Amino acid sequence: MSQDKLTKIVSLCKRRGFVFGGSEIYGGLSSVWDYGPLGARLKKRIKDVWWQTYVEDREDIVGLDSSIIMQEGVFRASGHLQGFADWLVDCPKCKKRFRVDKLEKKDIDLYSCLDCKSDIDIEKYKPRKFNLMLKTNMSATEEDPYYAYLRPETAQGIFVNFSNVMNVTHKPLPLGIAQIGKAFRNEVTTGSFIFRMKEFEQMEIEYFVNPKEAEKAYEYWVQERLNFYIEKIGLKKENLRLREHDKDELAHYAKGCTDVEFNFPFGWSELEGIANRGDYDLSEHARVSKKDLSFFDNIKKEKYIPYVIEPSAGVDRTFFAIISDAYHEEEVKGKIRTVLRLKPNFAPYCVAILPLLKNRPEIVELAKKVFYDMKSQWPAVYNDTGAIGKLYRRQDEIGTPFCVTIDVDSLTDHKVTVRNRDSMAQERVDISKLKDYIAEKIKSY
Ligand code: GAP
């Protein structure tokens, strides 16, 4: 499958309204994507599950919603201004720009272009350092600029609010601060759909602990986050694995890092990173801002700068993983049927109501009644815009687990036909028992 599967997923996402190219009517914007009506639903569901699991259901994590635009001082302290950069080189033949660390190495200074395969001698075509942060001018005039930055990770908003949060919550450590929000990076490697975007969304927890407990907390979070993808998101176990970073791969702030990797259509790649950031961030912010960011443990009478364990997940990559995991093709009567086998809680719609005869007012009236009844419990959609075969195919492609058809017989026997997305089996169900029937079926997913 691989590239073929990627192309099919991109096409399905566009065709059915999950993901569109950014600024498309003006020719698009590289590595910027918009979520359509169905994509917005699925994306919100991912964020809701994460927030419920970590902020609502736990006592040791609180939420935050900090701003995207941040002062230059923040990134001077965090090291992003100096260190958050890629080495880039232009291919002398095809003129495309690549990250040096992504090129295929042929010899000591000789690399092979990823696109046209010609040689790139980096002694001759010197790579240049390129900062990944997006800068914006907050001054009213162009002549007298005041630069600020769009955060490249939501984490910095948490670090700069650490003492604010500690002061208002009066909680002991360990304490996590969780945040969902946009982050921005001027990425150069493009062409991997929503895997690598310039504007994306993160779900991050900064879990502050006593330095003596950091290693244990790190190990806990690695397992916890892997389990989350299996149990709460429902990704297949065989498509997930853990990968610990080598020392030379670590980000400038990290003492240790493990990735949760997913088997994307183009191969195993990072879905989430769990890092032990030590006391790097709080110490640096304390040093540069000259504010005391230490923690005083009232019980042990100990003062220290906490270590931080950071499980950092991407909403967009989770979205991509869910779609990729659910994507399925099968042959039915000589034709290919494409199905998104989404769990009902992630399917944009759980039930589709499809009246068979849209010109019969009694059928329409009954179908609308069933629709509003379903909608009061699950996300539901009403569709009468085509022949039934076409409507089923459309619902299969967007992952709707149950299609309910209302026909002439429904008017007299008060029953409807429920079609199961995965088995395509159809059952006649009493309208008064329809909710119980669907609720029972959902339990088996
Ligand atoms: N605060 C730590 C941090 O930002 P990261 O590994 O650079 O670490 C964390 O990013 C997660 O954010 C990644 O695992 C990925 O899910 C998501 N992410 C990072 N860059 C991304 C991009 N350009 N497009 C989409 N998601 C991205």
Side-chain angles (χ1 to χ4, degrees), residues 19-24 28-35 134 182 184-186 190-191 193-194 196-200:
V19 183
F20 304 127
S23 308
E24 220 173 56
L29 193 56
S30 163
S31 297
V32 177
W33 299 88
D34 296 339
Y35 287 85
L134 284 146
K182 292 267 176 135
F184 299 79
R185 296 181 191 176
N186 203 357
T190 56
F193 191 37
I194 53 171
R196 189 165 281 108
M197 304 157 88
K198 297 199 180 192
E199 173 178 343
F200 55 99

Side-chain angles (χ1 to χ4, degrees), residues 398-417:
I398 65 171
T400 311
F402 309 102
C403 284
V404 173
T405 52
I406 286 104
D407 54 29
V408 181
D409 292 341
S410 307
L411 297 173
T412 48
D413 68 3
H414 307 291
K415 288 182 177 175
V416 289
T417 303

Side-chain angles (χ1 to χ4, degrees), residues 80 84 152-156 159 183-185 187 193-204 206 229 245 251 253 257 259-260 270-275 277 310-318:
H80 284 92
F84 195 55
E153 54 172 2
T154 65
Q156 294 307 321
F159 297 129
F184 299 79
R185 296 181 191 176
E187 301 279 8
F193 191 37
I194 53 171
F195 181 82
R196 189 165 281 108
M197 304 157 88
K198 297 199 180 192
E199 173 178 343
F200 55 99
E201 212 162 350
Q202 292 185 314
M203 303 179 284
E204 298 200 296
E206 304 304 321
Y229 288 109
H245 283 211
Y253 49 72
C257 187
D259 287 346
V260 177
E270 177 185 340
L271 175 59
E272 157 157 0
I274 299 112
R277 293 178 78 130
E310 176 194 66
S312 173
V315 181
D316 312 274
R317 285 191 195 174
T318 307

Side-chain angles (χ1 to χ4, degrees), residues 195-340:
F195 181 82
R196 189 165 281 108
M197 304 157 88
K198 297 199 180 192
E199 173 178 343
F200 55 99
E201 212 162 350
Q202 292 185 314
M203 303 179 284
E204 298 200 296
I205 299 169
E206 304 304 321
Y207 197 75
F208 298 95
V209 292
N210 185 317
K212 291 176 204 143
E213 286 155 25
E215 199 48 41
K216 216 168 85 206
Y218 171 64
E219 283 161 20
Y220 161 80
W221 276 107
V222 170
Q223 283 311 317
E224 165 57 33
R225 293 300 301 149
L226 177 65
N227 292 345
F228 174 88
Y229 288 109
I230 299 166
E231 284 158 22
K232 298 278 169 105
I233 300 290
L235 296 179
K236 295 188 191 92
K237 247 186 196 161
E238 63 268 27
N239 282 336
L240 289 162
R241 72 178 187 194
L242 294 174
R243 189 183 70 82
E244 201 173 347
H245 283 211
D246 293 334
K247 285 271 169 282
D248 58 354
E249 255 187 283
L250 293 175
H252 63 275
Y253 49 72
K255 284 190 178 317
C257 187
T258 298
D259 287 346
V260 177
E261 291 193 333
F262 179 78
N263 194 8
F264 286 98
F266 40 77
W268 290 95
S269 293
E270 177 185 340
L271 175 59
E272 157 157 0
I274 299 112
N276 177 352
R277 293 178 78 130
D279 61 1
Y280 177 86
D281 300 274
L282 288 184
S283 296
E284 285 303 292
H285 283 301
R287 186 179 65 79
V288 177
S289 69
K290 302 193 172 47
K291 301 281 186 314
D292 182 9
L293 298 179
S294 58
F295 171 78
F296 182 69
D297 184 331
N298 247 326
I299 298 164
K300 292 187 183 147
K301 305 288 174 219
E302 229 183 313
K303 188 177 172 180
Y304 55 86
I305 299 240
Y307 270 30
V308 68
I309 308 303
E310 176 194 66
S312 173
V315 181
D316 312 274
R317 285 191 195 174
T318 307
F319 182 109
F320 193 177
I322 290 175
I323 299 264
S324 175
D325 215 46
Y327 187 90
H328 184 81
E329 285 180 356
E330 62 192 21
E331 206 183 302
V332 178
K333 293 181 192 152
K335 282 192 176 158
I336 296 293
R337 181 174 90 107
T338 304
V339 196
L340 276 193

